[in-house]
Amino acid sequence: MLIEYLATIQKAYFNDESIENKPPNEEIPAVSVNKTTRSNDYKCSDHPYTIRIVHHTPLIVYIEKFLIPTAVVKCIEERFARFQGNLDLEYLEPLQVVKYTSEQEFKPHYDWFPTDDLVQSSDQRLTTFVTYLYSNCSRGETEFLKIPFHKSGLRFPPISGNSIFWYNVDDQGKGDASTYHAGRPPKDGGLKIGLNTWTRSKKITTKKRKDVM
């Protein structure tokens, strides 16, 4: 359902032109999103953002201005859930904030769980959002090593407020090897702060939410 929705947007805004190898900083029109129908004490206001379908298999979407600094946690969770078709918030893992100072990095890895781990957890990490909350550095990109782009892996520079979204599994629900990615270190004494958000294949109970925090 999500990929059909995004494909419709792609057709409307990109005139069916392939964009798999376009850099993520080209200008495209902002896309309006529907209001959530769930009732909450805090109401999220409509917020325009710009999307770019960068890669189709796995689906990787670059989202400009997806978060703004004044948004509260509830509103942030709502936005992540709404982007994925108004998911129930119980499918989201607790938000995780990470900080990288100069030369710190997250080495290449997968977000999906291998088979042995699935025996214990019984559910999979279906999708990932990486959102840049703050950046004052050179380099420090998120890089997909197995997706070639300009003689290296596909890279996204840390731009405050922008997000990257991707599917961790293929059509059969198995971990997608091409999602192998890394958080490259900031250079020149810089700093970057990010927000990681994962969506599970099953609802996360209160106990499980505490376990994964």
Side-chain angles (χ1 to χ4, degrees):
M1 182 180 298
L2 173 61
I3 194 168
E4 291 176 357
Y5 165 70
L6 294 175
T8 300
I9 294 174
Q10 178 191 358
K11 184 176 181 180
Y13 289 95
F14 296 95
N15 297 321
D16 285 332
E17 181 182 356
S18 175
I19 57 170
E20 287 192 7
N21 290 322
K22 287 186 177 181
N25 58 354
E26 287 191 22
E27 293 295 330
I28 63 173
V31 178
S32 298
V33 294
N34 295 326
K35 293 182 179 179
T36 179
T37 56
R38 289 190 297 275
S39 60
N40 298 288
D41 293 335
Y42 183 86
K43 297 296 183 182
C44 297
S45 59
D46 282 346
H47 175 72
Y49 52 82
T50 302
I51 73 168
R52 169 173 293 282
I53 303 175
V54 180
H55 202 269
H56 290 276
T57 306
L59 176 64
I60 300 177
V61 183
Y62 189 70
I63 314 154
E64 297 179 9
K65 304 301 181 184
F66 194 63
L67 292 183
I68 54 176
T70 56
V72 298
V73 171
K74 187 72 171 180
C75 187
I76 293 173
E77 289 182 328
E78 284 279 354
R79 188 160 298 158
F80 289 131
R82 196 185 329 176
F83 184 84
Q84 300 179 81
N86 272 354
L87 284 178
D88 192 305
L89 295 183
E90 291 181 345
Y91 285 99
L92 298 181
E93 288 189 25
L95 305 181
Q96 180 190 78
V97 177
V98 292
K99 180 178 75 172
Y100 297 87
T101 57
S102 184
E103 304 304 326
Q104 289 183 324
E105 64 178 320
F106 202 125
K107 294 188 180 297
H109 64 284
Y110 298 109
D111 286 351
W112 47 266
F113 300 128
T115 303
D116 291 344
D117 290 346
L118 281 176
V119 172
Q120 294 181 342
S121 65
S122 75
D123 64 331
Q124 183 61 277
R125 276 180 172 167
L126 298 182
T127 69
T128 296
F129 273 100
V130 170
T131 302
Y132 302 116
L133 301 180
Y134 174 84
S135 63
N136 181 18
C137 62
S138 61
R139 305 303 297 269
E141 306 96 332
T142 298
E143 179 179 5
F144 291 83
L145 288 80
K146 295 188 177 182
I147 302 177
F149 184 81
H150 287 184
K151 299 182 180 180
S152 67
L154 179 63
R155 293 189 174 205
F156 296 90
I159 300 175
S160 299
N162 290 2
S163 296
I164 313 162
F165 169 86
W166 68 88
Y167 273 104
N168 291 307
V169 298
D170 59 22
D171 292 340
Q172 286 72 46
K174 297 181 180 179
D176 192 329
S178 60
T179 61
Y180 195 57
H181 63 286
R184 297 306 185 190
K187 298 294 184 180
D188 302 323
L191 169 70
K192 68 174 180 178
I193 299 175
L195 178 66
N196 295 329
T197 311
W198 295 286
T199 305
R200 294 291 191 98
S201 57
K202 295 182 180 179
K203 290 184 178 181
I204 303 174
T205 63
T206 301
K207 180 181 183 302
K208 280 189 176 181
R209 287 181 69 86
K210 291 180 179 179
D211 290 343
V212 298
M213 290 180 68

